Amino acid sequence: MIVSLTSIAAAFFLEKTEGYIILLLILMYIASFSASVGAVTWVIVSEIFPNKLRSKAMSVSIVSLWIANFLLILVFPLMLSRFGGAVAFLIFDVMCVILLAFTF
């Protein structure tokens, strides 16, 4: 995910956003997210809580996840228009680096 986001930011910085390069990099990001953080999130949410609290705690966790997704969808176009593509993708790149550090 870090490699694809860094590459997307570099492509925006170098103004090489036409053609299939950006599409391939975004598809690479989606594939790496789906194979790692995307799948692990659902496994952790279903296993982390004790049985007595599992249904309520999973409900709160999943609603929080969907609210965060919704807010991201609202904020991303604003980030693109205000900061440009390079900075917007670098912000998400930094978030992935923090996630990697947290994971280790």
Side-chain angles (χ1 to χ4, degrees), residues 36-48:
S36 61
V37 179
V40 170
T41 301
W42 294 102
V43 172
I44 288 176
V45 167
S46 66
E47 297 294 330
I48 197 168

Side-chain angles (χ1 to χ4, degrees), residues 12 76-91:
F12 271 98
F76 185 69
L78 299 173
M79 290 174 61
L80 279 177
S81 65
R82 176 170 269 191
F83 303 124
V87 174
F89 282 102
L90 277 177
I91 290 170

Side-chain angles (χ1 to χ4, degrees), residues 8-78:
I8 292 170
F12 271 98
F13 182 73
L14 297 172
E15 298 178 3
K16 304 284 185 186
T17 56
E18 285 88 27
Y20 290 106
I21 302 262
I22 294 293
L23 175 63
L24 292 174
L25 290 170
I26 289 174
L27 291 175
M28 184 174 109
Y29 173 80
I30 291 170
S32 58
F33 175 82
S34 296
S36 61
V37 179
V40 170
T41 301
W42 294 102
V43 172
I44 288 176
V45 167
S46 66
E47 297 294 330
I48 197 168
F49 302 111
N51 286 335
K52 282 186 171 183
L53 300 173
R54 185 167 291 169
S55 62
K56 292 178 183 173
M58 280 185 64
S59 298
V60 171
S61 299
I62 292 170
V63 166
S64 300
L65 178 65
W66 282 106
I67 289 172
N69 289 337
F70 178 72
L71 292 174
L72 177 68
I73 290 168
L74 287 178
V75 169
F76 185 69
L78 299 173

